[in-house]
Amino acid sequence: MADASLIGHESPEGHMPVERGKVAEFARATFSDRPIFTDPEAARQAGFRDVPAPPTFVVASAHFVPSDPGFSAKLDMKRILAGGAEWEFFRPLVAGDELTVRSRVVDVETKQGKRGQMTLITREVSYFDASGELVQRMRSTVIEMPPLEAKAP
């Protein structure tokens, strides 16, 4: 079960390219049909230097960063639920950007639920461009539910 010793834990750094094809796939997966996500000329006419990434595109970074056994080993992954996420945007991401991804645990708290004590783990993931500028930040919470009680035979 997760505990406060996770606070400050930093996951291995990762790198993520922002590619036109992935931007188009993400836009399609989120039901956006706006041409700026697929057509570079439409994007330039809208003021971007290339196709912009949809706002929550950075969640795809989970496919680019190394796994973190130091984090997942402290959780019972069978009892994990997504508890929400929020983003801060410092500038639009566009195709051609190369991002460095850094993640750390910023909070661990316990709460009493109907099924018992649950643990809420909040991670902050920061995305930096090639110049080292912070371009986006995501805070997400996972909930480790209490273990199910064994059923009587």
Side-chain angles (χ1 to χ4, degrees):
M1 182 164 200
D3 59 43
S5 68
L6 272 175
I7 295 174
H9 175 82
E10 294 184 9
S11 296
E13 185 175 284
H15 299 279
M16 175 184 164
V18 179
E19 301 168 336
R20 282 185 186 162
K22 294 299 179 190
V23 167
E25 288 174 1
F26 192 89
R28 185 176 304 130
T30 56
F31 302 103
S32 176
D33 58 0
R34 296 182 63 198
I36 62 169
F37 296 129
T38 56
D39 179 358
E41 185 53 36
R44 280 189 273 282
Q45 287 178 4
F48 299 99
R49 66 178 154 83
D50 208 315
V51 294
T56 59
F57 176 77
V58 294
V59 297
S61 69
H63 300 290
F64 291 89
V65 298
S67 63
D68 182 4
F71 177 71
S72 59
K74 294 194 172 192
L75 303 175
D76 183 346
M77 299 306 281
K78 295 178 289 200
R79 296 187 285 129
I80 295 295
L81 299 174
E86 58 187 50
W87 286 266
E88 290 179 83
F89 303 96
F90 301 104
R91 77 157 172 83
L93 302 177
V94 295
D97 279 332
E98 294 284 336
L99 302 178
T100 297
V101 183
R102 296 185 187 125
S103 172
R104 64 187 176 99
V105 175
V106 295
D107 193 28
V108 176
E109 65 179 304
T110 57
K111 289 190 175 182
Q112 189 65 36
K114 289 181 181 176
R115 291 179 28 200
Q117 188 174 19
M118 55 188 172
T119 307
L120 287 70
I121 303 107
T122 303
R123 296 175 85 176
E124 183 176 277
V125 184
S126 299
Y127 302 88
F128 300 88
D129 67 12
S131 71
E133 178 186 354
L134 177 63
V135 293
Q136 197 164 334
R137 183 181 299 134
M138 177 179 73
R139 289 175 70 98
S140 63
T141 300
V142 294
I143 302 168
E144 187 179 44
M145 298 298 291
L148 294 174
E149 293 182 29
K151 292 183 178 180

